[in-house]
Amino acid sequence: AQKVTQAQTEISVVEKEDVTLDCVYETRDTTYYLFWYKQPPSGELVFLIRRNSFDEQNEISGRYSWNFQKSTSSFNFTITASQVVDSAVYFCALRGGSSNTGKLIFGQGTTLQVKP
Amino acid sequence: DGGITQSPKYLFRKEGQNVTLSCEQNLNHDAMYWYRQDPGQGLRLIYYSQIVNDFQKGDIAEGYSVSREKKESFPLTVTSAQKNPTAFYLCASSSGTARGTEAFFGQGTRLTVV
């Protein structure tokens, strides 16, 4: 079975603080992809990053960075110097290789509130 | 601009009524999906379609129906058999179903049973 767990339901920080959102996944597939999406108050999910199971390089994009560790089945997301505009619900998702449905397995989501 | 359009944004349904949620995309994507979002539960797959005139049940298809008569359209009907339809519904599309293909999402429809 495939599963994604985001243990942090809600996080509240003050602007300019760094914050890390945790994501732990389970899969028996050897080939899989991990995704992060942001859901602002408007509702749509905005794609942030994709990582395949063979690429464990960390990635940085501006204030965002991602740490992928297969040994611990984790794909954590860090926002540096958080801003009020970062306030949103963030979802980690998994797509495995055992089916060709394109189905994404989502975590429960982490609500991030950045206070001014 | 290319994207996914869902309508309406808010929908109210009386007990026993069927309602249809619209999803249109102009991204020329083959695959389309419907997800349901409930507080604290993430998104769960209702139905998906990999190609025109074909669709498959997802994890929570009971009480829902879909059609895919055109590539750009994938409407979702919430039937009276759906016992707890109040939720946020998101439509998505992707260029294919390969593992690394990202999905693009619409802005959602919030359905409330009154």
Side-chain angles (χ1 to χ4, degrees):
Chain A
Q2 298 183 82
K3 186 179 179 182
V4 175
T5 302
Q6 294 178 255
Q8 304 151 309
T9 306
E10 294 184 17
I11 301 176
S12 182
V13 299
V14 177
E15 206 170 20
K16 297 184 183 176
E17 283 185 22
D18 298 347
V19 57
T20 295
L21 282 60
D22 297 332
C23 173
V24 174
Y25 63 92
E26 296 175 28
T27 182
R28 293 182 180 176
D29 295 323
T30 54
T31 303
Y32 53 88
Y33 278 78
L34 295 162
F35 301 79
W36 274 96
Y37 282 87
K38 174 182 179 180
Q39 185 179 41
S42 54
E44 82 279 17
L45 268 69
V46 177
F47 167 78
L48 295 178
I49 191 171
R50 163 186 48 227
R51 174 67 66 213
N52 76 55
S53 52
F54 297 107
D55 181 3
E56 290 193 68
Q57 277 192 333
N58 292 332
E59 179 151 344
I60 298 174
S61 176
R63 296 183 298 106
Y64 295 170
S65 63
W66 290 268
N67 179 256
F68 175 35
Q69 292 193 337
K70 282 181 79 171
S71 61
T72 56
S73 297
S74 65
F75 187 43
N76 296 337
F77 172 32
T78 297
I79 302 175
T80 303
S82 60
Q83 300 176 1
V84 172
V85 293
D86 295 327
S87 297
V89 182
Y90 291 86
F91 289 98
C92 180
L94 165 71
R95 180 182 283 148
S98 58
S99 72
N100 63 348
T101 67
K103 170 184 170 180
L104 286 163
I105 308 295
F106 284 88
Q108 303 91 320
T110 297
T111 300
L112 174 64
Q113 183 181 33
V114 182
K115 299 177 181 178
Chain B
D1 286 333
I4 301 177
T5 301
Q6 290 186 241
S7 62
K9 191 169 183 178
Y10 299 96
L11 187 56
F12 297 91
R13 191 195 93 171
K14 292 183 180 179
E15 295 273 358
Q17 273 186 339
N18 291 355
V19 290
T20 297
L21 284 58
S22 170
C23 177
E24 303 277 332
Q25 55 99 359
N26 61 3
L27 299 167
N28 200 33
H29 284 170
D30 285 316
M32 296 188 74
Y33 310 84
W34 274 105
Y35 288 88
R36 170 178 170 144
Q37 182 179 5
D38 294 284
Q41 291 194 46
L43 281 72
R44 293 178 291 168
L45 183 66
I46 305 172
Y47 267 98
Y48 65 98
S49 168
Q50 295 175 290
I51 198 166
V52 175
N53 293 322
D54 183 61
F55 50 83
Q56 305 294 331
K57 292 182 179 180
D59 299 319
I60 55 166
E62 185 176 350
Y64 299 99
S65 65
V66 294
S67 63
R68 186 85 187 276
E69 297 174 2
K70 297 186 294 182
K71 187 176 185 178
E72 59 270 22
S73 178
F74 191 41
L76 173 74
T77 296
V78 184
T79 74
S80 56
Q82 170 47 237
K83 298 192 186 326
N84 184 22
T86 295
F88 189 56
Y89 292 87
L90 283 156
C91 178
S93 72
S94 63
S95 57
T97 55
R99 292 180 294 260
T101 308
E102 72 200 62
F104 293 83
F105 285 81
Q107 291 201 328
T109 293
R110 189 167 298 280
L111 173 62
T112 304
V113 173
V114 295

